[in-house]
Structures are given as structure tokens and as C-alpha cells.
Amino acid sequence: MAASGKLSTYRLPPLPTIREIIKLFRLQAAKQLSQNFLLDLRLTDKIVRKAGNLANAYVYEVGPGPGGITRSILNADITELLVVEKDTRFIPGLQMLSEAAPGKLRIVHGDVLTFKVEKAFSESLKRPWEDDPPNVHIIGNLPFSVSTPLIIKWLENISCRDGPFVYGRTQMTLTFQKEVAERLAANTGSKQRSRLSVMAQYLCNVRHIFTIPGRAFVPKPEVDVGVVHFTPLIQPKIEQPFKLVEKVVQNVFQFRRKYCHRGLGMLFPEAQRLENTGRLLELADIDPTLRPRQLSISHFKSLCEVYRKMCDEDPQLFAYNFREELKQKKKQKERKKEDDAKSYRL
């Protein structure tokens, strides 16, 4: 068995380089899909090392593309690697890797946003949530266009313990734009603190483990790339439904430069906004003049608990959307103008 965090001595047989694969199959990164290829195997090896000990592991790789990280995973003495690739152009190159590693690589042509990974591996791999993480890992160089919606989807899966997390506290090692990586790991009070920081950190231990310069990718993106490691927590720091936490956090950060009471007020209909916002802040014991980035997970825990009680008292409250109220008011104004114009012509 390989030592923790180190690649195994098992190596794939000689193969064309990733650069040669790209030429052989005439592959070009699709700009509309935010594709960027990582060709340096020293960097792909580093990503895999940072994922932890993969000896005998079952790995789910998202967006393998021409197969750079795929090779490094296969060289880590894993038991099985499942790759899900949406772009058919990459399938022949991945099949070449599959032939070089018989019985190790399973290729699925599909979309990571809809793929049912909970059915992909054996039931025997499942571990109780309170145990150590299972021997199942998620690794991926994510296209920028899907990275944020995908991590939000997976965070909701963690909250519900479904999707990839039916196996237990499945660890993830993923790439993001550097700015997004910094937000995911940002501490309370930092300029990078955002909605993503709170949503990720109330459910996971999040580490921004290293940064890859943009020049390492082909084509070179305009930004550097951050590699982030997630380990789901045994006990979430906020024990409320994911959608409720998401609503509170989104509302707070939509006015990130204002005092926190500004965004929290949007949780309530205009007629009761002032009164209910004051009540929420008072019961949660939050200073209304704190900025969103100054609010800790503990602050959000208190806000979510009080908001949940207010929603229990008023079953219509959670469904309230202040943007919908604004739309209705705008329509009413437009109708009134039309009515006034008709009256004037008469």
C-alpha cells in the first residue's frame, strides 16, 4: 500500500503525452465551455497527492478532458476510477487510457450536473457519517462555467447526505478560479468573505491548498487557479435546512458593502420589514451595523435559528421573495399609468 499522500510505484505503460493526444485527436479547448487543459504532469501529480492516500481507493473524476489528472490518478494505485465527460471529443483519448489500465478506468459520457454518482460504486463502500471518510474521493479540474453551481449542488448533497455523500463524508479535491478558491476558504472579516465562504464552511473543513499559475494551462486563462480540498464535517455548524441557510446567507451578501440589516430586511415583506428585521436582529443578538463579511458562522447560526422560528409562526414567510414584490409593484404602477392615460383621453 502506498504511503499517505504519496503516489504509488505503479505506473501506466508508455503512452503518448497529453500534448500528443491533443494533436492526435485534434482537440481544442471550447471557449464556450470554459475549458482549459492542464498538461504538466508534475502539477496533476501534485493535485492527486493533495487529495490524500488513494491506494485502493474508488475515485470519481469530473471533467477529465484530455486525461492529464486521469493519468495521475491511475498512477496512484487506485482500485477504480470513474470519469464523467460531457464532451464526446475527449472520449477516444480516455479510451486509450482505459486500454492501458485494464479494469481500472470506467468512462461515462454524461453531464456531472445530472449524473447519479450515488449509484456508481458498490454499497459495500458506504460508511456511517460519524466514521472516518470512506475510500471514495472526488477529484476534478472543473470548467469555470460549472464550478460554482456544481459545488453548491454538492454542498446541498452534503446537507442531505445524498448524491456522492451516500457513501459517507466523501472528500473532494477540486479546482476553481483563484478568486473563487479564496472565497471558499475566506475567514470572517476578510475581503474575500462571501456567500460561498459561509455555505462551504458551515458544512465542511475547507482548505485552499495551493495555486496553479494560469500559464500552466492551455489555453492560458486570464486568472490563476486554486486547488481546494473539502472534508464534510460530522456535525454541520448550522443545523437547519440547506435552502433556509442559503436564503439567509444570500440575502445578507447581496448588499455586501452595506450594514447587515439591509440585506436581512429583504427576508420580509415591505409592510412588516422594519419591525421584523429589528426583531430578527434582537433575538439573534446581532449588531445591525456589522458588515456581511464581519458575520461569523456562529452569527449565521443564530440568524437561521430565529428566522426558522419566524417561518414556523408565519408559514407564508419562507416563500416570500422581495424581487417578486418589486415586480408586482412595477406592474401595478404601469397599469395605473395606462388607466390614467385612458381617463385623460376620455
Side-chain angles (χ1 to χ4, degrees), residues 132-162:
D132 288 339
N135 208 14
V136 177
H137 294 257
I138 299 174
I139 300 175
N141 174 29
L142 304 177
F144 295 157
S145 60
V146 301
S147 61
T148 299
L150 187 58
I151 194 59
I152 289 292
K153 177 180 183 289
W154 280 340
L155 290 170
E156 184 167 10
N157 289 146
I158 291 172
S159 175
C160 300
R161 301 184 184 181
D162 60 13

Side-chain angles (χ1 to χ4, degrees), residues 160-175:
C160 300
R161 301 184 184 181
D162 60 13
F165 307 95
V166 296
Y167 305 103
R169 295 186 297 119
T170 302
Q171 297 178 82
M172 302 184 286
T173 307
L174 305 167
T175 62

Side-chain angles (χ1 to χ4, degrees), residues 228-245:
V228 183
H229 186 80
F230 302 82
T231 305
L233 299 170
I234 293 174
Q235 197 77 16
K237 293 180 181 177
I238 303 173
E239 295 189 72
Q240 297 295 338
F242 183 86
K243 291 295 184 187
L244 184 142
V245 179

Side-chain angles (χ1 to χ4, degrees), residues 246-256 258 260-274 277 307 316-332:
E246 186 177 40
K247 186 172 184 182
V248 172
V249 174
Q250 276 181 333
N251 274 272
V252 168
F253 279 100
Q254 69 183 323
F255 300 109
R256 56 181 300 113
K258 306 286 186 183
C260 66
H261 71 79
R262 178 77 172 85
L264 288 167
M266 298 300 108
L267 290 168
F268 305 105
E270 190 175 18
Q272 302 94 37
R273 185 165 294 156
L274 199 60
T277 306
Y307 180 63
Q316 305 298 315
L317 180 58
F318 185 71
Y320 170 73
N321 184 318
F322 82 93
R323 288 190 175 87
E324 211 44 56
E325 186 177 30
L326 287 175
K327 280 182 192 174
Q328 294 302 321
K329 284 188 174 181
K330 189 177 178 182
K331 284 180 183 177
Q332 287 171 4

Side-chain angles (χ1 to χ4, degrees), residues 105-328:
L105 178 58
R106 187 154 43 111
I107 303 163
V108 173
H109 176 225
D111 187 339
V112 295
L113 288 168
T114 56
F115 180 69
K116 303 289 185 187
V117 69
E118 60 267 36
K119 298 176 181 177
F121 296 121
S122 168
E123 293 268 327
S124 64
L125 294 171
K126 292 182 178 179
R127 300 185 74 159
W129 195 261
E130 297 73 22
D131 282 8
D132 288 339
N135 208 14
V136 177
H137 294 257
I138 299 174
I139 300 175
N141 174 29
L142 304 177
F144 295 157
S145 60
V146 301
S147 61
T148 299
L150 187 58
I151 194 59
I152 289 292
K153 177 180 183 289
W154 280 340
L155 290 170
E156 184 167 10
N157 289 146
I158 291 172
S159 175
C160 300
R161 301 184 184 181
D162 60 13
F165 307 95
V166 296
Y167 305 103
R169 295 186 297 119
T170 302
Q171 297 178 82
M172 302 184 286
T173 307
L174 305 167
T175 62
F176 300 88
Q177 290 183 51
K178 184 186 174 188
E179 182 183 341
V180 176
E182 288 173 344
R183 287 178 185 171
L184 284 161
N187 294 321
T188 305
S190 85
K191 289 181 181 178
Q192 287 80 22
R193 188 74 165 176
S194 70
R195 169 183 73 111
L196 281 177
S197 319
V198 178
M199 296 307 294
Q201 292 170 33
Y202 97 84
L203 290 163
C204 296
N205 174 25
V206 183
R207 291 184 298 121
H208 177 190
I209 44 182
F210 72 100
T211 300
I212 302 173
R215 65 178 179 274
F217 292 84
V218 176
K220 178 183 176 296
E222 294 178 3
V223 294
D224 292 338
V225 171
V227 180
V228 183
H229 186 80
F230 302 82
T231 305
L233 299 170
I234 293 174
Q235 197 77 16
K237 293 180 181 177
I238 303 173
E239 295 189 72
Q240 297 295 338
F242 183 86
K243 291 295 184 187
L244 184 142
V245 179
E246 186 177 40
K247 186 172 184 182
V248 172
V249 174
Q250 276 181 333
N251 274 272
V252 168
F253 279 100
Q254 69 183 323
F255 300 109
R256 56 181 300 113
R257 290 184 176 83
K258 306 286 186 183
Y259 293 138
C260 66
H261 71 79
R262 178 77 172 85
L264 288 167
M266 298 300 108
L267 290 168
F268 305 105
E270 190 175 18
Q272 302 94 37
R273 185 165 294 156
L274 199 60
E275 178 189 346
N276 281 343
T277 306
R279 184 179 165 217
L280 172 62
L281 287 160
E282 184 180 357
L283 291 173
D285 194 24
I286 306 291
D287 179 351
T289 63
L290 288 174
R291 309 282 180 184
R293 64 186 173 90
Q294 295 174 302
L295 295 177
S296 66
I297 300 286
S298 179
H299 286 135
F300 278 104
K301 180 177 187 288
S302 299
L303 287 167
C304 290
E305 287 172 353
V306 175
Y307 180 63
R308 172 71 182 270
K309 287 175 185 173
M310 295 173 84
C311 289
D312 289 343
E313 292 167 8
D314 177 4
Q316 305 298 315
L317 180 58
F318 185 71
Y320 170 73
N321 184 318
F322 82 93
R323 288 190 175 87
E324 211 44 56
E325 186 177 30
L326 287 175
K327 280 182 192 174
Q328 294 302 321

